[in-house]
Amino acid sequence: MALWCLLLIPFLGALVLGLFGARRLAPEFNVAFSFSTFVTSLVLTAQVIREGSFLVGREQFFVDPFNVFLVALTAFVGWTTSMFSRPYMRIEEHHGRVNRARLRLYHSMYQLFSFTMLLALLTNNLGILWVAMEAATLTTVLLVSLYRTAASIEAAWKYFILCGVGIAQALFGTILLYFAAEKVLGAEGSTALLWTHLNAIKGQLEPTVLTLAFVFLLVGYGTKVGLAPLHNWLPDAHAEGPTPISAVLSGLLLNVALYAVVRCKVLVEGATQSGLASHLMMGFGLLSVLLAAFFLLRQKDIKRLFGYSSIEHMGIITFAFGMGGPVANFAALLHMTVHSLTKSAIFFTVGHACQKAGTQVMDDIRGLLLVSPTVGWGLLLGTLAILGMPPFGVFTSEFLVITTAMRDQPWATPILLLALAVAFGAIFHRVQSMVFGATDLKPLPHPPALLPVFVHLGLVLMLGIYIPPTLANWYRLAAAMIG
Amino acid sequence: MLKLSLASQLIHFGAALLLLTAFAMLTQRRVLSLVNLFAWQGLILSVSTAVVAYSSVQHHLYVSAALSLLLKVILLPLILRRLLKRLNVRWDNETLLSVPTTMLVGIVLVVFAFSLAQPIAELSTSIARSTLGIALAVVMLSFLMMITRRKAVSQVIGFLAMENGLFFAATSATYGMPMVVELGVALDVLVGTLILGVFFFQIREQFDSLDLQHLEQLKED
């Protein structure tokens, strides 16, 4: 029941806001819809904790510890981002960058994007997972070009074509997977794409086909995760779209795409009994971490800077999932959570900082602490958190990843440490000069909603010091499932 | 048995035609002819799907044959033609590689696709199994077309042709995906094309042309 509501609310929200999204109260409605989605996700979570995993709707939908944790996270960040977006988009309208008609598109697509994310997470059908991932691109592509500037149209075009081509590879991978599964399960009743069925018979699937399928799936969904060398769309889309969209792209879309990769990896590992899938993921992960760290050094635009930081963190998570085992998977899941919370909090502060400065160029943003202590402190603390300073949660997960790497894959540890050090230097140096010093920034016409920033950072801080037993148990269950 | 061998011959013939249209698209410079080639490709796809449906008695494949007829032969070419008319695009004269070079690269890709598909095709029980290599080749040729073209419209047609290749892979190797997935994919393709249509207008409004060389400002310097 909660599951149907969870899918229905954002879909309904998209319809309602598509009709009335130009009204004055549309942002409030956006918040209300996102909030009800979040409450429903909590109900669903409680249900899973009480009753364990379950299948509904002729086995087309399922909930287990792995996806329910991402559902709750997605709904939560979706809600806080809608709160941030309310004053943010009003200020953009005040500055004349968007008009009411485009705000209607924006609000409607925001809800539809939440819907596609939740559909991708909750579906048991790998074909529908593909459809939902593609739909997620389609809903956000017009949002990236919302400002209709030359740069934003270019970014949206790149995003569309690169992710479209990427996801076409994933479709081929899905077809190959279906081809292998159909031999075992048969085409009748179309159970051959249902993940739970595939998982049950993964040992009987043809290894050669699954290996080839995984290469296509990893390249396909990996494009959306932003793994190097397929990451080119990511910094552009993050920099040119409205900041709430940057926050949900980084905080949610990348996670969900990675979720798709991990679901496929479980099947392929089971079928091939070789380390190929793990090695591919570790390789792509390390390359992304390293490449992103060095690109960080050359950035001038603040949103691009944090876009590259997302690539780096996705690389770390992919690497951790690639290593596998209970500890690495636990660390990867924890890192998914804290990265998503921290990165969206950073984008919230960055958005308002750019509005005050009237530019995204870092050299022109000075003395944030003087003009607005909350934005300044939010950005500074968020940056410290994302760079893995204790006592924030990112430190815990990165520490776990690195210690596991030392034990299992010692060759990778120096690369990881080097990349983390370079990233630290690149980002901290930049942020320091933006936060401190004299200022010529202007105050904003509408008061910003900065509560979400501190709620997110508070949660990340809590996860660094104390992980509630229910949550830890949940991570352990999910980590064991991934294997 | 005669019926079966006739069906498989028809499917192989369709596969060969599909590959031919993919090569023709690679060299075609007139954008309107590209749309026509795309429509032909859709028709071949639809007919060969129907043949697979008839010979294997998989009734849901008739639905997907009808779906691709509706979407790829009628609806999408119609949308694309209207767009071309309104945007007044005729030629895509500037390509990154010359025609002979593109053809040579294309041939290499086809050989690569066949060698990649060989071990899988041997496992297939479907009557159309040897066509998997062709399907993969069509996907790769369309990809090549997207890389070498400058005009936004040609890139999109390359993208749609790639989807044709994938669809052909699905029917030839597996008798088609479950219906709900096929419907979802079709919906995504349709919505994607509509969004691209909106996009063309945005691009032209901003740059006064549909040439993608204007879209090369965002670079790492």
Side-chain angles (χ1 to χ4, degrees):
Chain A
M1 194 53 221
L3 194 146
W4 300 123
C5 289
L6 196 55
L7 290 173
L8 208 63
I9 292 170
F11 191 72
L12 213 67
L15 287 182
V16 170
L17 288 168
L19 289 173
F20 308 108
R23 301 282 173 86
R24 219 187 134 56
L25 281 178
E28 278 73 15
F29 272 97
N30 194 28
V31 176
F33 278 115
S34 303
F35 180 67
S36 358
T37 312
F38 174 57
V39 171
T40 326
S41 81
L42 287 184
V43 174
L44 185 73
T45 308
Q47 200 181 341
V48 173
I49 290 175
R50 224 173 35 240
E51 300 164 14
S53 320
F54 59 87
L55 286 154
V56 285
R58 288 205 232 141
E59 304 191 325
Q60 290 292 326
F61 294 93
F62 79 137
V63 191
D64 65 10
F66 183 24
N67 66 12
V68 81
F69 120 81
L70 280 171
V71 166
L73 183 66
T74 301
F76 177 69
V77 176
W79 168 48
T80 49
T81 307
S82 70
M83 270 164 65
F84 156 71
S85 132
R86 192 177 60 90
Y88 182 85
M89 292 315 279
R90 286 229 164 98
I91 297 167
E92 294 292 272
E93 196 189 344
H94 188 93
H95 286 175
R97 295 186 74 184
V98 285
N99 55 31
R100 281 290 167 86
R102 289 193 207 158
L103 277 179
R104 185 172 82 172
L105 176 80
Y106 168 83
H107 286 123
S108 174
M109 286 301 150
Y110 186 91
Q111 289 296 326
L112 209 56
F113 174 70
S114 305
F115 168 73
T116 57
M117 293 284 89
L118 292 168
L119 181 65
L121 289 170
L122 289 169
T123 182
N124 191 13
N125 189 324
L126 290 174
I128 299 295
L129 172 64
W130 184 89
V131 172
M133 288 304 303
E134 170 70 4
T137 314
L138 295 179
T139 52
T140 40
V141 73
L142 286 181
L143 296 186
V144 171
S145 68
L146 195 73
Y147 296 141
R148 304 280 167 89
T149 57
S152 73
I153 290 178
E154 182 185 342
W157 179 259
K158 238 184 191 173
Y159 174 47
F160 188 95
I161 289 294
L162 270 172
C163 283
V165 170
I167 207 114
Q169 312 302 313
L171 182 60
F172 194 69
T174 311
I175 292 171
L176 287 176
L177 198 64
Y178 180 66
F179 166 68
E182 184 211 36
K183 295 208 175 321
V184 185
L185 292 167
E188 301 308 314
S190 56
T191 54
L193 269 179
L194 297 184
W195 189 84
T196 43
H197 287 252
L198 288 170
N199 195 33
I201 51 116
K202 60 187 173 188
Q204 304 165 36
L205 297 172
E206 182 59 47
T208 38
V209 182
L210 274 242
T211 309
L212 194 63
F214 187 71
V215 175
F216 279 101
L217 286 165
L218 181 63
V219 169
Y221 290 130
T223 311
K224 293 211 93 163
V225 181
L227 294 179
L230 313 159
H231 64 278
N232 279 347
W233 66 270
L234 193 145
D236 294 345
H238 278 63
E240 303 306 331
T243 310
I245 296 307
S246 319
V248 286
L249 284 181
S250 248
L252 306 181
L253 180 77
L254 307 187
N255 271 357
V256 176
L258 192 55
Y259 162 85
V261 174
V262 174
R263 282 278 186 218
C264 298
K265 184 211 168 210
V266 174
L267 299 177
V268 176
E269 285 280 77
T272 57
Q273 302 295 343
S274 73
L276 183 83
S278 305
H279 284 113
L280 275 175
M281 281 180 82
M282 278 193 278
F284 270 106
L286 273 186
L287 186 67
S288 311
V289 176
L290 204 61
L291 213 72
F294 284 97
F295 270 114
L296 277 172
L297 287 169
R298 305 164 56 174
Q299 298 312 311
K300 297 187 176 67
D301 180 312
I302 184 167
K303 283 167 80 181
R304 283 184 85 85
L305 181 83
F306 285 109
Y308 273 105
S309 158
S310 290
I311 300 176
E312 182 212 342
H313 285 275
M314 282 298 138
I316 294 175
I317 303 171
T318 312
F319 174 77
F321 276 128
M323 279 198 295
V327 185
N329 283 340
F330 182 95
L333 293 169
L334 181 63
H335 201 86
M336 265 176 146
T337 320
V338 289
H339 171 256
S340 156
L341 291 172
T342 319
K343 192 51 68 60
S344 40
I346 289 178
F347 272 117
F348 299 164
T349 57
V350 163
H352 285 307
C354 293
Q355 281 182 330
K356 283 178 207 287
T359 171
Q360 292 176 201
V361 180
M362 285 186 276
D363 289 337
D364 299 338
I365 306 174
R366 287 268 170 272
L368 278 175
L369 272 182
L370 279 180
V371 65
S372 163
T374 41
V375 173
W377 280 113
L379 182 60
L380 190 62
L381 289 175
T383 307
L384 287 174
I386 205 75
L387 289 172
M389 294 304 278
F392 289 102
V394 183
F395 172 76
T396 321
S397 53
E398 283 182 353
F399 183 77
L400 280 174
V401 172
I402 288 173
T403 45
T404 326
M406 277 177 183
R407 199 190 63 206
D408 294 346
Q409 315 285 347
W411 55 274
T413 329
I415 305 177
L416 273 179
L417 287 173
L418 172 75
L420 286 178
V422 171
F424 187 93
I427 298 183
F428 192 68
H429 162 73
R430 285 298 196 169
V431 169
Q432 203 185 17
S433 66
M434 279 187 283
V435 172
F436 299 109
T439 186
D440 51 358
L441 305 182
K442 297 174 288 290
L444 296 171
H446 296 272
L450 287 168
L451 187 67
V453 176
F454 294 97
V455 173
H456 281 201
L457 292 177
L459 282 172
V460 175
L461 186 64
M462 183 196 80
L463 288 173
I465 300 163
Y466 164 75
I467 303 176
T470 349
L471 191 65
N473 188 32
W474 201 358
Y475 282 149
R476 264 186 223 108
L477 280 174
M481 273 186 46
I482 301 164
Chain B
M1 279 321 283
L2 191 70
K3 193 184 88 182
L4 195 78
S5 75
L6 180 67
S8 77
Q9 273 180 20
L10 274 176
I11 291 162
H12 282 115
F13 183 58
L17 281 181
L18 207 63
L19 193 61
L20 200 67
T21 48
F23 267 108
M25 278 175 150
L26 207 54
T27 52
Q28 183 56 259
R29 295 287 178 269
R30 226 175 129 238
V31 183
L32 195 65
S33 308
L34 267 181
V35 177
N36 291 338
L37 278 172
F38 171 73
W40 277 108
Q41 209 175 45
L43 187 64
I44 297 164
L45 194 66
S46 167
V47 170
S48 60
T49 310
V51 173
V52 175
Y54 177 69
S55 64
S56 66
V57 206
Q58 297 275 333
H59 290 296
H60 77 279
L61 276 183
Y62 284 120
V63 182
S64 42
L67 198 68
S68 54
L69 188 72
L70 188 74
L71 193 66
K72 285 165 188 161
V73 185
I74 300 166
L75 206 54
L76 290 183
L78 195 75
I79 296 174
L80 286 169
R81 273 194 205 109
R82 289 195 119 187
L83 272 175
L84 292 182
K85 211 171 186 183
R86 283 184 64 185
L87 292 166
N88 206 12
V89 191
R90 289 214 178 81
W91 294 87
D92 188 359
N93 34 20
E94 239 185 285
T95 51
L96 300 173
L97 292 173
S98 70
V99 177
T101 327
T102 324
M103 293 297 266
L104 282 176
V105 176
I107 291 168
V108 174
L109 280 180
V110 173
V111 174
F112 176 67
F114 267 89
S115 63
L116 202 62
Q118 196 51 41
I120 304 170
E122 278 165 14
L123 297 162
S124 177
T125 51
S126 157
I127 52 161
R129 63 182 172 193
S130 43
T131 49
L132 197 62
I134 291 189
L136 197 56
V138 171
V139 172
M140 284 184 174
L141 288 176
S142 317
F143 193 38
L144 181 66
M145 179 180 151
M146 288 182 74
I147 296 170
T148 53
R149 291 306 174 94
R150 276 276 174 81
K151 280 271 192 287
V153 188
S154 328
Q155 282 203 355
V156 169
I157 296 171
F159 181 68
L160 291 169
M162 186 186 262
E163 209 272 332
N164 276 349
L166 288 169
F167 188 84
F168 192 67
T171 42
S172 69
T174 65
Y175 297 133
M177 309 273 270
M179 206 56 229
V180 55
V181 178
E182 245 166 50
L183 284 175
V185 174
L187 183 73
D188 275 349
V189 170
L190 184 62
V191 173
T193 315
L194 291 176
I195 288 182
L196 281 165
V198 176
F199 238 146
F200 290 155
F201 286 99
Q202 290 186 8
I203 291 176
R204 210 187 45 168
E205 190 186 323
Q206 194 61 235
F207 304 103
D208 285 324
S209 129
L210 272 176
D211 226 329
L212 290 177
Q213 61 192 358
H214 301 290
L215 297 188
E216 282 170 16
Q217 305 302 314
L218 291 172
K219 273 188 192 149
E220 298 301 338
D221 35 22

mmCIF file of all heavy atoms in Angstrom, chain A residues 93-121:
data_model
loop_
_atom_site.group_PDB
_atom_site.id
_atom_site.type_symbol
_atom_site.label_atom_id
_atom_site.label_comp_id
_atom_site.label_asym_id
_atom_site.label_seq_id
_atom_site.Cartn_x
_atom_site.Cartn_y
_atom_site.Cartn_z
ATOM 1 N N GLU A 93 13.739 34.171 -10.279
ATOM 2 C CA GLU A 93 12.672 34.867 -10.994
ATOM 3 C C GLU A 93 12.834 36.376 -10.824
ATOM 4 O O GLU A 93 12.711 37.147 -11.775
ATOM 5 C CB GLU A 93 11.321 34.394 -10.454
ATOM 6 C CG GLU A 93 10.164 34.736 -11.362
ATOM 7 C CD GLU A 93 8.825 34.450 -10.703
ATOM 8 O OE1 GLU A 93 8.785 33.732 -9.688
ATOM 9 O OE2 GLU A 93 7.822 34.979 -11.214
ATOM 10 N N HIS A 94 13.162 36.782 -9.591
ATOM 11 C CA HIS A 94 13.400 38.186 -9.278
ATOM 12 C C HIS A 94 14.550 38.739 -10.132
ATOM 13 O O HIS A 94 14.493 39.868 -10.616
ATOM 14 C CB HIS A 94 13.731 38.299 -7.788
ATOM 15 C CG HIS A 94 13.810 39.696 -7.282
ATOM 16 N ND1 HIS A 94 12.732 40.336 -6.732
ATOM 17 C CD2 HIS A 94 14.837 40.570 -7.241
ATOM 18 C CE1 HIS A 94 13.082 41.553 -6.389
ATOM 19 N NE2 HIS A 94 14.357 41.719 -6.672
ATOM 20 N N HIS A 95 15.592 37.930 -10.307
ATOM 21 C CA HIS A 95 16.735 38.346 -11.129
ATOM 22 C C HIS A 95 16.432 38.267 -12.631
ATOM 23 O O HIS A 95 17.296 38.565 -13.446
ATOM 24 C CB HIS A 95 17.964 37.465 -10.826
ATOM 25 C CG HIS A 95 18.592 37.778 -9.500
ATOM 26 N ND1 HIS A 95 19.627 37.041 -8.995
ATOM 27 C CD2 HIS A 95 18.343 38.737 -8.598
ATOM 28 C CE1 HIS A 95 19.970 37.541 -7.816
ATOM 29 N NE2 HIS A 95 19.203 38.569 -7.554
ATOM 30 N N GLY A 96 15.227 37.769 -12.955
ATOM 31 C CA GLY A 96 14.834 37.715 -14.360
ATOM 32 C C GLY A 96 15.458 36.589 -15.159
ATOM 33 O O GLY A 96 15.490 36.650 -16.387
ATOM 34 N N ARG A 97 15.930 35.544 -14.494
ATOM 35 C CA ARG A 97 16.545 34.450 -15.258
ATOM 36 C C ARG A 97 15.508 33.421 -15.712
ATOM 37 O O ARG A 97 15.755 32.674 -16.641
ATOM 38 C CB ARG A 97 17.626 33.762 -14.425
ATOM 39 C CG ARG A 97 18.792 34.688 -14.127
ATOM 40 C CD ARG A 97 19.897 33.941 -13.449
ATOM 41 N NE ARG A 97 20.620 33.086 -14.375
ATOM 42 C CZ ARG A 97 21.589 32.260 -14.003
ATOM 43 N NH1 ARG A 97 21.923 32.165 -12.742
ATOM 44 N NH2 ARG A 97 22.208 31.527 -14.892
ATOM 45 N N VAL A 98 14.386 33.355 -15.003
ATOM 46 C CA VAL A 98 13.319 32.435 -15.427
ATOM 47 C C VAL A 98 11.994 33.176 -15.377
ATOM 48 O O VAL A 98 11.854 34.151 -14.648
ATOM 49 C CB VAL A 98 13.204 31.199 -14.505
ATOM 50 C CG1 VAL A 98 14.319 30.233 -14.745
ATOM 51 C CG2 VAL A 98 13.159 31.600 -13.049
ATOM 52 N N ASN A 99 11.005 32.717 -16.161
ATOM 53 C CA ASN A 99 9.681 33.292 -16.041
ATOM 54 C C ASN A 99 8.720 32.237 -15.505
ATOM 55 O O ASN A 99 9.096 31.081 -15.283
ATOM 56 C CB ASN A 99 9.207 33.856 -17.394
ATOM 57 C CG ASN A 99 9.265 32.791 -18.469
ATOM 58 O OD1 ASN A 99 9.091 31.613 -18.196
ATOM 59 N ND2 ASN A 99 9.528 33.210 -19.700
ATOM 60 N N ARG A 100 7.461 32.619 -15.319
ATOM 61 C CA ARG A 100 6.484 31.728 -14.705
ATOM 62 C C ARG A 100 6.284 30.444 -15.520
ATOM 63 O O ARG A 100 6.173 29.356 -14.964
ATOM 64 C CB ARG A 100 5.147 32.466 -14.547
ATOM 65 C CG ARG A 100 5.113 33.402 -13.366
ATOM 66 C CD ARG A 100 5.098 32.615 -12.067
ATOM 67 N NE ARG A 100 5.371 33.460 -10.927
ATOM 68 C CZ ARG A 100 4.434 34.144 -10.280
ATOM 69 N NH1 ARG A 100 3.191 34.103 -10.675
ATOM 70 N NH2 ARG A 100 4.761 34.888 -9.246
ATOM 71 N N ALA A 101 6.250 30.574 -16.854
ATOM 72 C CA ALA A 101 6.000 29.398 -17.696
ATOM 73 C C ALA A 101 7.106 28.365 -17.487
ATOM 74 O O ALA A 101 6.848 27.170 -17.387
ATOM 75 C CB ALA A 101 5.933 29.816 -19.154
ATOM 76 N N ARG A 102 8.341 28.848 -17.400
ATOM 77 C CA ARG A 102 9.433 27.896 -17.204
ATOM 78 C C ARG A 102 9.420 27.331 -15.797
ATOM 79 O O ARG A 102 9.837 26.199 -15.578
ATOM 80 C CB ARG A 102 10.769 28.574 -17.483
ATOM 81 C CG ARG A 102 10.919 28.848 -18.951
ATOM 82 C CD ARG A 102 12.314 29.222 -19.301
ATOM 83 N NE ARG A 102 12.272 30.060 -20.472
ATOM 84 C CZ ARG A 102 13.231 30.900 -20.813
ATOM 85 N NH1 ARG A 102 14.297 31.013 -20.043
ATOM 86 N NH2 ARG A 102 13.145 31.608 -21.900
ATOM 87 N N LEU A 103 8.916 28.105 -14.837
ATOM 88 C CA LEU A 103 8.816 27.573 -13.476
ATOM 89 C C LEU A 103 7.797 26.438 -13.417
ATOM 90 O O LEU A 103 7.970 25.483 -12.666
ATOM 91 C CB LEU A 103 8.403 28.681 -12.501
ATOM 92 C CG LEU A 103 9.548 29.554 -12.018
ATOM 93 C CD1 LEU A 103 9.027 30.630 -11.088
ATOM 94 C CD2 LEU A 103 10.611 28.731 -11.308
ATOM 95 N N ARG A 104 6.767 26.545 -14.257
ATOM 96 C CA ARG A 104 5.787 25.469 -14.302
ATOM 97 C C ARG A 104 6.465 24.189 -14.791
ATOM 98 O O ARG A 104 6.329 23.126 -14.190
ATOM 99 C CB ARG A 104 4.654 25.858 -15.252
ATOM 100 C CG ARG A 104 3.546 24.849 -15.248
ATOM 101 C CD ARG A 104 2.372 25.330 -16.036
ATOM 102 N NE ARG A 104 2.582 25.082 -17.458
ATOM 103 C CZ ARG A 104 1.649 25.260 -18.363
ATOM 104 N NH1 ARG A 104 0.475 25.731 -18.025
ATOM 105 N NH2 ARG A 104 1.878 25.006 -19.622
ATOM 106 N N LEU A 105 7.232 24.302 -15.866
ATOM 107 C CA LEU A 105 7.994 23.160 -16.379
ATOM 108 C C LEU A 105 8.911 22.616 -15.290
ATOM 109 O O LEU A 105 8.974 21.410 -15.042
ATOM 110 C CB LEU A 105 8.819 23.611 -17.585
ATOM 111 C CG LEU A 105 9.746 22.555 -18.176
ATOM 112 C CD1 LEU A 105 8.961 21.620 -19.063
ATOM 113 C CD2 LEU A 105 10.883 23.179 -18.948
ATOM 114 N N TYR A 106 9.575 23.553 -14.623
ATOM 115 C CA TYR A 106 10.537 23.166 -13.593
ATOM 116 C C TYR A 106 9.865 22.352 -12.497
ATOM 117 O O TYR A 106 10.320 21.260 -12.149
ATOM 118 C CB TYR A 106 11.181 24.428 -13.021
ATOM 119 C CG TYR A 106 11.984 24.205 -11.763
ATOM 120 C CD1 TYR A 106 13.292 23.763 -11.832
ATOM 121 C CD2 TYR A 106 11.421 24.424 -10.510
ATOM 122 C CE1 TYR A 106 14.023 23.538 -10.686
ATOM 123 C CE2 TYR A 106 12.139 24.206 -9.360
ATOM 124 C CZ TYR A 106 13.436 23.770 -9.444
ATOM 125 O OH TYR A 106 14.152 23.537 -8.314
ATOM 126 N N HIS A 107 8.755 22.854 -11.954
ATOM 127 C CA HIS A 107 8.119 22.164 -10.833
ATOM 128 C C HIS A 107 7.547 20.815 -11.241
ATOM 129 O O HIS A 107 7.673 19.826 -10.522
ATOM 130 C CB HIS A 107 7.020 23.042 -10.230
ATOM 131 C CG HIS A 107 7.577 24.171 -9.422
ATOM 132 N ND1 HIS A 107 7.284 25.482 -9.671
ATOM 133 C CD2 HIS A 107 8.450 24.179 -8.399
ATOM 134 C CE1 HIS A 107 7.933 26.253 -8.825
ATOM 135 N NE2 HIS A 107 8.656 25.487 -8.052
ATOM 136 N N SER A 108 6.931 20.797 -12.424
ATOM 137 C CA SER A 108 6.339 19.555 -12.887
ATOM 138 C C SER A 108 7.435 18.499 -13.097
ATOM 139 O O SER A 108 7.308 17.349 -12.666
ATOM 140 C CB SER A 108 5.587 19.831 -14.181
ATOM 141 O OG SER A 108 5.120 18.649 -14.712
ATOM 142 N N MET A 109 8.526 18.899 -13.731
ATOM 143 C CA MET A 109 9.602 17.954 -14.021
ATOM 144 C C MET A 109 10.333 17.519 -12.746
ATOM 145 O O MET A 109 10.844 16.412 -12.671
ATOM 146 C CB MET A 109 10.590 18.560 -15.017
ATOM 147 C CG MET A 109 10.051 18.611 -16.417
ATOM 148 S SD MET A 109 9.621 16.976 -17.008
ATOM 149 C CE MET A 109 8.305 17.329 -18.122
ATOM 150 N N TYR A 110 10.353 18.415 -11.767
ATOM 151 C CA TYR A 110 10.990 18.061 -10.496
ATOM 152 C C TYR A 110 10.267 16.859 -9.879
ATOM 153 O O TYR A 110 10.902 15.891 -9.437
ATOM 154 C CB TYR A 110 10.929 19.265 -9.543
ATOM 155 C CG TYR A 110 11.682 19.058 -8.255
ATOM 156 C CD1 TYR A 110 13.014 19.428 -8.164
ATOM 157 C CD2 TYR A 110 11.087 18.481 -7.148
ATOM 158 C CE1 TYR A 110 13.729 19.230 -6.998
ATOM 159 C CE2 TYR A 110 11.791 18.271 -5.985
ATOM 160 C CZ TYR A 110 13.106 18.654 -5.911
ATOM 161 O OH TYR A 110 13.816 18.437 -4.760
ATOM 162 N N GLN A 111 8.926 16.919 -9.877
ATOM 163 C CA GLN A 111 8.148 15.808 -9.324
ATOM 164 C C GLN A 111 8.280 14.557 -10.181
ATOM 165 O O GLN A 111 8.412 13.447 -9.670
ATOM 166 C CB GLN A 111 6.677 16.210 -9.195
ATOM 167 C CG GLN A 111 6.414 17.224 -8.106
ATOM 168 C CD GLN A 111 6.736 16.689 -6.718
ATOM 169 O OE1 GLN A 111 6.557 15.517 -6.426
ATOM 170 N NE2 GLN A 111 7.263 17.545 -5.867
ATOM 171 N N LEU A 112 8.284 14.738 -11.509
ATOM 172 C CA LEU A 112 8.385 13.590 -12.404
ATOM 173 C C LEU A 112 9.751 12.915 -12.246
ATOM 174 O O LEU A 112 9.865 11.690 -12.318
ATOM 175 C CB LEU A 112 8.182 14.046 -13.853
ATOM 176 C CG LEU A 112 7.595 13.001 -14.789
ATOM 177 C CD1 LEU A 112 6.290 12.466 -14.277
ATOM 178 C CD2 LEU A 112 7.408 13.586 -16.178
ATOM 179 N N PHE A 113 10.757 13.732 -12.007
ATOM 180 C CA PHE A 113 12.099 13.187 -11.771
ATOM 181 C C PHE A 113 12.094 12.319 -10.508
ATOM 182 O O PHE A 113 12.599 11.192 -10.521
ATOM 183 C CB PHE A 113 13.100 14.342 -11.645
ATOM 184 C CG PHE A 113 14.488 13.912 -11.270
ATOM 185 C CD1 PHE A 113 15.271 13.219 -12.171
ATOM 186 C CD2 PHE A 113 15.016 14.210 -10.031
ATOM 187 C CE1 PHE A 113 16.559 12.812 -11.833
ATOM 188 C CE2 PHE A 113 16.291 13.813 -9.681
ATOM 189 C CZ PHE A 113 17.071 13.112 -10.590
ATOM 190 N N SER A 114 11.465 12.803 -9.421
ATOM 191 C CA SER A 114 11.359 11.992 -8.205
ATOM 192 C C SER A 114 10.662 10.678 -8.511
ATOM 193 O O SER A 114 11.072 9.616 -8.041
ATOM 194 C CB SER A 114 10.529 12.694 -7.136
ATOM 195 O OG SER A 114 11.028 13.947 -6.866
ATOM 196 N N PHE A 115 9.599 10.772 -9.330
ATOM 197 C CA PHE A 115 8.849 9.567 -9.680
ATOM 198 C C PHE A 115 9.749 8.560 -10.387
ATOM 199 O O PHE A 115 9.775 7.377 -10.029
ATOM 200 C CB PHE A 115 7.659 9.947 -10.560
ATOM 201 C CG PHE A 115 6.982 8.774 -11.199
ATOM 202 C CD1 PHE A 115 6.203 7.916 -10.443
ATOM 203 C CD2 PHE A 115 7.142 8.512 -12.553
ATOM 204 C CE1 PHE A 115 5.592 6.820 -11.028
ATOM 205 C CE2 PHE A 115 6.536 7.421 -13.139
ATOM 206 C CZ PHE A 115 5.758 6.573 -12.375
ATOM 207 N N THR A 116 10.519 9.014 -11.377
ATOM 208 C CA THR A 116 11.360 8.070 -12.126
ATOM 209 C C THR A 116 12.431 7.457 -11.224
ATOM 210 O O THR A 116 12.721 6.272 -11.333
ATOM 211 C CB THR A 116 12.033 8.734 -13.332
ATOM 212 O OG1 THR A 116 12.792 9.850 -12.881
ATOM 213 C CG2 THR A 116 11.034 9.182 -14.354
ATOM 214 N N MET A 117 12.980 8.276 -10.312
ATOM 215 C CA MET A 117 13.995 7.745 -9.396
ATOM 216 C C MET A 117 13.403 6.634 -8.532
ATOM 217 O O MET A 117 13.991 5.569 -8.372
ATOM 218 C CB MET A 117 14.510 8.843 -8.468
ATOM 219 C CG MET A 117 15.293 9.941 -9.120
ATOM 220 S SD MET A 117 16.943 9.437 -9.539
ATOM 221 C CE MET A 117 16.688 8.800 -11.150
ATOM 222 N N LEU A 118 12.199 6.901 -7.977
ATOM 223 C CA LEU A 118 11.583 5.913 -7.094
ATOM 224 C C LEU A 118 11.180 4.662 -7.869
ATOM 225 O O LEU A 118 11.329 3.540 -7.383
ATOM 226 C CB LEU A 118 10.372 6.530 -6.386
ATOM 227 C CG LEU A 118 10.737 7.625 -5.381
ATOM 228 C CD1 LEU A 118 9.498 8.383 -4.939
ATOM 229 C CD2 LEU A 118 11.445 7.043 -4.176
ATOM 230 N N LEU A 119 10.711 4.863 -9.108
ATOM 231 C CA LEU A 119 10.338 3.722 -9.949
ATOM 232 C C LEU A 119 11.569 2.855 -10.219
ATOM 233 O O LEU A 119 11.517 1.626 -10.109
ATOM 234 C CB LEU A 119 9.731 4.217 -11.266
ATOM 235 C CG LEU A 119 9.281 3.142 -12.240
ATOM 236 C CD1 LEU A 119 8.133 2.350 -11.655
ATOM 237 C CD2 LEU A 119 8.868 3.737 -13.573
ATOM 238 N N ALA A 120 12.692 3.512 -10.552
ATOM 239 C CA ALA A 120 13.918 2.760 -10.832
ATOM 240 C C ALA A 120 14.342 1.953 -9.613
ATOM 241 O O ALA A 120 14.786 0.815 -9.734
ATOM 242 C CB ALA A 120 15.030 3.719 -11.247
ATOM 243 N N LEU A 121 14.155 2.538 -8.427
ATOM 244 C CA LEU A 121 14.588 1.835 -7.218
ATOM 245 C C LEU A 121 13.656 0.687 -6.862
ATOM 246 O O LEU A 121 14.096 -0.361 -6.412
ATOM 247 C CB LEU A 121 14.649 2.813 -6.038
ATOM 248 C CG LEU A 121 15.782 3.827 -6.079
ATOM 249 C CD1 LEU A 121 15.585 4.864 -4.998
ATOM 250 C CD2 LEU A 121 17.123 3.143 -5.900
#
